[in-house]
Amino acid sequence: MKIAVIGQSLFGQEVYKELKKDGHTIVGVFTIPDKDGKADPLATEAEKDGVAMFKFPRWRVKGQAIPEVVAQYQATGAELNVLPFCSQFIPMEVINHPKHGSIIYHPSLLPRHRGASAINWTLIHGDKKGGFTVFWADDGLDTGPILLQRECDVEPNDTVNTIYKRFLFPEGVKGTVEAVRLIAEGKAPRITQPQEGATYECIQKKENAMINWNQTAVALHNWIRGNDKVPGAWAEVDGQKVTFYGSSLVDNGTAANGQPLEIPGASQPGIITKAGLVLFGNDGKALLVKNLQFEDGKMIAAAQYFHSGSSAAVELTEEEKTFAEQMRAVWQNILTNVSQIEDSTDFFKSGAASMDVVRLVEEVKLRASSCQLQNEDVYMNTTFIDFIQMCVRKLRGEDGEEELVVDYVEKNINNMTIKMPHQLFINGEFVDAQGGKTYKTINPTDGTAICDVSLAQISDVDKAVAAAKEAFEEGAWGKMNPRDRGRLIYKLANLMEQYQEELATIEALDSGAVYTLALKTHVGMSIQTFHYFAGWCDKIQGSTIPINQARPNRNLTFTKKEPIGVCAIVIPWNYPLMMLAWKTAACLAAGNTVVLKPAQVTPLTALKFAELAARAGLPKGVINILPGSGALVGQRLSDHPDVRKLGFTGSTEIGKHIMKSCAVSNVKKVSLELGGKSPLIIFSDCDMDKALRMGMSAVFFNKGENCIAAGRLFVEDTIHDQFVMKVVEEVKKMKIGDPLDRSTDHGPQNHKAHLDKLVEYCQIGVREGATLVCGGKQVQRPGFFFQPTVFTDVQDHMYIAKDESFGPIMIISKFKGSEVDDVLKRANATEYGLASGVFTRDISKALYVSERLNAGTVFVNTYNKTDVAAPFGGFKQSGFGKDLGQEALNEYLKTKAVTIEY
């Protein structure tokens, strides 16, 4: 068909392009005149194609069509007029002229919401369904017969912008083109609009967008979102007109903590909180507003309303205003699809990509060499006004980090002053738990309290998950280029290295780890882990897959690896910082956000880590730390519907419970690193000195509080007695004492309940008839010290042969060297399968044994040799999933397959 397109905007441009693709001839494009020298997008597209272009400022004067204009239109010979979006009044002489008449796109389900502000009123009325209509044009009152309609759900927090981008624009283009197709095929209906349900509302303008506070919270929310972004709902606040943007409904079970803001006419004062401005309806229910704009056009985050200093908007000098206008032109050149750069224009929501970030940073350098931006500066200041404010502060030398407020507990210890945060860390801030609840964390060296620590409650978990969800879905972390994300993680690792002595001291104080071991392993490997995974951020990729069964065989299938979202991590007390690092580093590298529950008895290094993460520049909400009980915090994380992955290290019993909760709640992805009873087989042909040294380490490393500790040693009978004698000699040399003493070999057990379990464990072994060679008792001194212990003559049926001690207890059994398969059967006769080991000089025997040991890790002629690049995880009831290495990334990614036919 020969078609005249009458209208404007990006919507008109897309309809024009799709009509051409459908084979129609566009005989003329009628659009609005250029504005400030810039052509409308529809005009720009038509000019590229050489289509006849008309830019009439008006079609009629004093209600009468302008003859010259009508004549020019009629000369095109159009058979159909398509009006995708048109702000001009088109006379009936034009509407009725073509053979097939004229059709118009309207963004509501007619007859509801006739008029130019249909989308606004769909939201203002709180409609559950929205959509669009393509109808046969009438005299401008939107009453013509219906040709086609499509509907969609209206989400509770939809704005004009979101519903337009999600449905009305993309589906509206398709619907308009489909309507033309129906006309061409002679199948287009003309359905008379019903009178029932018909409404006509006025055009929303600034003067009639004032908020009436005498309404429910839902009605207020609908009014604000229905006027967002144009014309903007407003009210008088502190004597000036303030416009409200970014409304969402609030869970009324959540208390709002902040500074009150008096609003004339409101049923009660609003509250400026860290999340924004909480407003209340006359029903006492609440809504949250994210942004505020003042009469001078300045827009701020609502949370910053009362802030001063660096958080307050700076007034620009004339020179800075010139710079701002230069940058506005740069944004305009980058965001070519945006007709005008406003202060509220969002760089990424307007279509910018990672290359545009690089370009913007370089453009700033060209115009202001002293303003050295990093890519993350753009990601964290996405609106034009925020970007300019950030640049100006940098130019003035006022770009210091936002002050992180930390209420430290300080101690002079280990020849240094350590500063320990002790509150919850939620959304980038240290805060008290709900109700100010606390508990005491205990120093296992002397049994005294270190400090009071905030004890997280269920509402605190919900706040942390909400912060993590927002950081993932809306915040800078979700928008960040993977390489920039890696730079931040690397920066965090470097900061941890800078504070490694303090971290190791806190670890020794809180968990009883020997300081030198804490420095090398607890902290050292944590730093290595973050360095390692920082390098993976920009190397996560899918694959291209040939598919052969689908016909026609012109297909492209590829996979994408995508972050999961909000991940919960629950860690144990034996390696407080290292367990955090093993899971969190991979989780962050994959692009997720984290809510982490440290063990209740060892929270302090996790909270110090949170401080360093904030100082490294990780955006708010990316990391959240919640000390608290497993029954409350761990359970809520397992049950929470917004948590999509849970990584757990701990006992098999608790792991089973978590797995069940995750399945029942929302089928979360789960990875579990659980208990172990790792066998270590020592053959007579081993290097005895090395086997002795490594065997001792396999059991007594980190006081035996080691998930892969050798829970049972099988020693060949011909060297058994010699091996036991040497072990006892070495045990007697071990120095038990203060973990901060550099000569100490063996520090205290982590906490009193664990110490009591070790005593009971040994008593059971003696009762069952095992030989207690040495140890088996609590050391008589302050603190939670336990003697390194050795049992021999341990039979397969005994409790201590089957159950994990998780302490410094060596369990030794004999075997005959000729019965390799028999010792393998005994070694595998356990429900655990975390680690294992073998010592022999015979490489064939080593390979044979390692092949048949049923465990996630097998050490040959070594033990405890974990590395950040090697995957770590168990079989059977030791769990599933991997920490460390490339495989760990898969625990925090989801795979999407995309198939394209061409």
Side-chain angles (χ1 to χ4, degrees):
M1 277 194 300
K2 296 178 181 180
I3 295 174
V5 177
I6 305 173
Q8 64 207 70
S9 78
L10 288 170
F11 186 83
Q13 179 190 53
E14 288 303 308
V15 169
Y16 164 86
K17 288 161 65 176
E18 292 302 316
L19 289 174
K20 287 204 69 178
K21 282 184 188 175
D22 245 21
H24 300 291
T25 302
I26 310 300
V27 295
V29 166
F30 298 83
T31 188
I32 58 175
D34 295 355
K35 186 177 180 181
D36 299 323
K38 187 175 180 65
D40 182 81
L42 173 57
T44 302
E45 193 68 30
E47 283 174 345
K48 283 196 304 186
D49 296 337
V51 172
M53 174 75 53
F54 305 88
K55 299 181 181 181
F56 302 135
R58 65 185 65 83
W59 290 72
R60 60 182 196 166
V61 175
K62 295 181 180 181
Q64 298 299 311
I66 303 172
E68 297 84 358
V69 171
V70 174
Q72 288 186 64
Y73 158 75
Q74 291 175 342
T76 64
E79 297 172 320
L80 174 70
N81 294 332
V82 176
L83 286 70
F85 171 74
C86 183
S87 62
Q88 296 177 312
F89 195 97
I90 309 301
M92 295 305 293
E93 290 90 334
V94 172
I95 295 293
N96 294 328
H97 178 75
K99 170 183 171 182
H100 297 291
S102 302
I103 60 170
I104 300 178
Y105 166 88
H106 184 81
S108 79
L109 296 173
L110 292 174
R112 189 161 174 79
H113 306 309
R114 293 167 175 163
S117 296
I119 311 177
N120 304 76
W121 288 102
T122 298
L123 300 174
I124 290 169
H125 283 279
D127 292 357
K128 302 299 182 189
K129 293 287 185 181
F132 64 86
T133 304
V134 179
F135 69 98
W136 296 95
D138 60 356
D139 57 1
L141 297 176
D142 302 335
T143 56
I146 294 170
L147 192 162
L148 175 150
Q149 284 189 322
R150 297 287 183 267
E151 72 172 33
C152 67
D153 292 330
V154 180
E155 301 296 333
N157 291 321
D158 262 333
T159 64
V160 173
N161 194 42
T162 60
I163 194 172
Y164 185 69
K165 286 189 174 180
R166 185 181 75 248
F167 184 83
L168 297 176
F169 185 107
E171 295 304 317
V173 171
K174 293 177 188 175
T176 305
V177 174
E178 183 182 345
V180 173
R181 196 173 297 139
L182 290 171
I183 294 170
E185 294 170 355
K187 299 177 181 178
R190 291 176 179 263
I191 303 167
T192 301
Q193 291 191 31
Q195 293 301 312
E196 185 180 353
T199 64
Y200 185 92
E201 292 98 355
C202 65
I203 296 176
Q204 275 303 89
K205 297 180 179 179
K206 196 70 175 181
E207 55 266 27
N208 58 18
M210 185 176 179
I211 299 170
N212 170 17
W213 294 107
N214 189 26
Q215 302 181 82
T216 65
V218 169
L220 290 173
H221 165 64
N222 287 339
W223 184 259
I224 293 170
R225 71 184 180 127
N227 287 283
D228 186 343
K229 295 285 186 181
V230 178
W234 62 275
E236 293 283 345
V237 181
D238 286 338
Q240 61 178 323
K241 187 183 288 186
V242 176
T243 304
F244 297 73
Y245 296 110
S247 174
S248 59
L249 292 170
V250 172
D251 177 5
N252 290 285
T254 304
N257 299 312
Q259 191 170 347
L261 175 65
E262 291 292 338
I263 300 176
S267 57
Q268 65 186 86
I271 301 175
I272 297 292
T273 70
K274 291 162 184 169
L277 170 58
V278 176
L279 300 168
F280 297 92
N282 59 12
D283 56 354
K285 294 183 178 179
L287 59 145
L288 179 74
V289 168
K290 286 283 190 182
N291 299 306
L292 302 173
Q293 188 172 34
F294 300 104
E295 290 178 274
D296 61 2
K298 235 181 253 179
M299 183 178 283
I300 64 166
Q304 303 293 322
Y305 188 84
F306 289 121
H307 284 205
S308 58
S310 63
S311 295
V314 297
E315 291 290 337
L316 305 191
T317 65
E318 289 304 315
E319 185 178 353
E320 289 163 348
K321 287 178 180 176
T322 301
F323 169 76
E325 289 311 307
Q326 290 174 350
M327 295 317 303
R328 195 184 298 273
V330 169
W331 277 49
Q332 190 70 73
N333 288 334
I334 294 174
L335 306 175
T336 55
N337 59 320
V338 177
S339 60
Q340 185 174 347
I341 303 299
E342 299 175 350
D343 285 353
S344 59
T345 299
D346 187 289
F347 195 63
F348 296 100
K349 290 180 180 177
S350 299
S354 57
M355 273 304 299
D356 298 317
V357 174
V358 176
R359 176 181 168 184
L360 183 56
V361 169
E362 294 304 314
E363 293 275 13
V364 171
K365 289 178 184 176
L366 286 174
R367 288 159 179 78
S369 58
S370 60
C371 186
Q372 296 294 312
L373 300 189
Q374 301 297 323
N375 289 2
E376 52 262 36
D377 290 323
V378 181
Y379 288 109
M380 294 181 190
N381 297 275
T382 61
T383 64
F384 182 74
I385 186 64
D386 289 344
F387 177 79
I388 290 300
Q389 290 279 311
M390 176 269 298
C391 289
V392 168
R393 286 195 179 96
K394 284 184 176 290
L395 288 167
R396 294 182 182 184
E398 298 173 2
D399 61 322
E401 295 177 354
E402 184 177 339
E403 184 180 359
L404 178 68
V405 179
V406 188
D407 180 24
Y408 292 114
V409 172
E410 296 189 18
K411 288 187 180 294
N412 293 312
I413 190 170
N414 200 25
N415 298 316
M416 67 181 77
T417 299
I418 58 173
K419 295 182 175 183
M420 298 176 289
H422 62 98
Q423 297 167 289
L424 314 182
F425 187 74
I426 300 175
N427 202 26
E429 297 179 304
F430 286 102
V431 295
D432 290 333
Q434 182 192 24
K437 293 191 177 182
T438 63
Y439 70 98
K440 295 186 184 299
T441 185
I442 304 301
N443 181 353
T445 302
D446 58 16
T448 62
I450 302 171
C451 64
D452 289 335
V453 176
S454 292
L455 182 66
Q457 304 299 300
I458 287 178
S459 63
D460 299 312
V461 178
D462 292 344
K463 289 175 187 175
V465 172
K469 184 179 180 183
E470 182 171 0
F472 178 76
E473 294 181 353
E474 302 292 338
W477 193 250
K479 302 168 186 171
M480 197 171 289
N481 180 294
R483 186 165 295 175
D484 293 322
R485 189 164 62 238
R487 288 171 58 193
L488 280 181
I489 296 172
Y490 199 86
K491 185 178 178 182
L492 169 59
N494 288 344
L495 203 56
M496 291 171 69
E497 192 165 24
Q498 183 181 331
Y499 283 83
Q500 60 183 327
E501 289 85 2
E502 185 175 3
L503 286 166
T505 302
I506 296 172
E507 194 90 327
L509 188 68
D510 202 26
S511 75
V514 172
Y515 174 74
T516 50
L517 178 66
L519 194 61
K520 177 183 182 296
T521 302
H522 289 236
V523 178
M525 192 174 189
S526 300
I527 295 166
Q528 292 168 13
T529 303
F530 278 100
H531 274 143
Y532 173 80
F533 281 107
W536 268 111
C537 290
D538 61 350
K539 299 171 185 68
I540 297 169
Q541 59 191 21
S543 57
T544 304
I545 304 167
I547 60 172
N548 301 311
Q549 302 307 313
R551 293 292 185 269
N553 194 19
R554 297 188 305 278
N555 306 290
L556 169 65
T557 294
F558 61 90
T559 61
K560 297 176 66 180
K561 298 284 189 178
E562 297 180 347
I564 294 171
V566 179
C567 297
I569 293 175
V570 180
I571 56 173
W573 41 260
N574 57 326
Y575 293 101
L577 186 63
M578 195 170 80
M579 292 296 97
L580 176 155
W582 280 22
K583 295 186 188 301
T584 304
C587 182
L588 294 177
N592 302 287
T593 56
V594 178
V595 180
L596 182 138
K597 190 198 90 65
Q600 188 170 351
V601 293
T602 54
L604 295 181
T605 44
L607 293 172
K608 188 67 180 180
F609 167 82
E611 177 198 340
L612 298 180
R615 298 198 187 286
L618 270 72
K620 292 181 178 182
V622 173
I623 291 174
N624 304 271
I625 308 292
L626 300 177
S629 73
L632 199 70
V633 177
Q635 186 63 55
R636 178 57 179 156
L637 288 171
S638 300
D639 294 337
H640 203 293
D642 289 333
V643 173
R644 291 296 171 184
K645 159 69 198 270
L646 193 147
F648 172 75
T649 296
S651 72
T652 298
E653 178 187 4
I654 300 300
K656 289 178 178 179
H657 180 79
I658 284 176
M659 190 173 175
K660 182 178 179 181
S661 296
C662 288
V664 170
S665 58
N666 61 346
V667 197
K668 292 175 179 64
K669 187 173 183 177
V670 182
S671 55
L672 304 172
E673 196 255 279
L674 307 176
K677 188 68 175 175
S678 302
L680 175 57
I681 303 172
I682 301 176
F683 287 97
S684 60
D685 64 349
C686 69
D687 179 333
M688 176 61 86
D689 290 339
K690 185 176 184 182
L692 174 68
R693 185 175 71 255
M694 300 304 294
M696 290 280 293
S697 173
V699 175
F700 300 119
F701 189 81
N702 198 48
K703 312 162 290 176
E705 295 171 354
N706 188 18
C707 51
I708 59 169
R712 191 176 182 193
L713 273 66
F714 295 91
V715 181
E716 190 171 338
D717 54 358
T718 57
I719 62 168
H720 174 273
D721 293 347
Q722 179 190 5
F723 183 85
V724 172
M725 180 186 69
K726 287 179 176 291
V727 165
V728 173
E729 289 175 359
E730 292 300 317
V731 166
K732 289 178 179 178
K733 295 177 186 176
M734 293 173 70
K735 180 180 176 180
I736 302 171
D738 182 356
L740 293 175
D741 183 337
R742 303 307 193 265
S743 64
T744 293
D745 299 305
H746 192 81
Q749 304 309 131
N750 188 276
H751 53 279
K752 181 65 165 61
H754 181 53
L755 174 66
D756 293 342
K757 283 185 179 179
L758 293 179
V759 172
E760 181 184 6
Y761 186 93
C762 290
Q763 290 170 348
I764 293 171
V766 171
R767 286 200 300 270
E768 288 186 324
T771 301
L772 178 62
V773 180
C774 62
K777 296 180 181 179
Q778 178 179 354
V779 178
Q780 296 305 307
R781 60 176 289 170
F784 310 140
F785 292 87
F786 188 78
Q787 298 171 340
T789 299
V790 178
F791 277 102
T792 60
D793 302 320
V794 179
Q795 305 305 308
D796 294 353
H797 69 275
M798 293 180 178
Y799 172 80
I800 63 173
K802 297 184 291 183
D803 201 76
E804 181 181 28
S805 72
F806 212 64
I809 301 172
M810 183 177 284
I811 308 295
I812 303 177
S813 299
K814 292 181 184 178
F815 75 95
K816 292 184 181 296
S818 60
E819 299 174 350
V820 175
D821 288 328
D822 181 66
V823 74
L824 281 168
K825 183 179 179 181
R826 294 170 68 193
N828 287 329
T830 171
E831 274 300 299
Y832 298 114
L834 190 56
S836 59
V838 56
F839 279 84
T840 176
R841 285 191 172 99
D842 185 336
I843 187 64
S844 295
K845 188 190 296 180
L847 291 172
Y848 182 86
V849 170
S850 64
E851 198 172 87
R852 285 159 179 77
L853 283 169
N854 194 6
T857 298
V858 181
F859 297 108
V860 178
N861 294 330
T862 186
Y863 208 88
N864 282 330
K865 188 167 278 187
T866 53
D867 187 90
V868 294
F872 180 95
F875 299 160
K876 300 186 286 188
Q877 292 197 44
S878 287
F880 53 85
K882 297 295 182 184
D883 291 326
L884 304 179
Q886 182 179 0
E887 285 196 39
L889 292 166
N890 294 326
E891 304 299 329
Y892 300 96
L893 292 165
K894 57 189 179 185
T895 302
K896 178 183 289 181
V898 180
T899 296
I900 303 169
E901 182 180 310
Y902 57 90

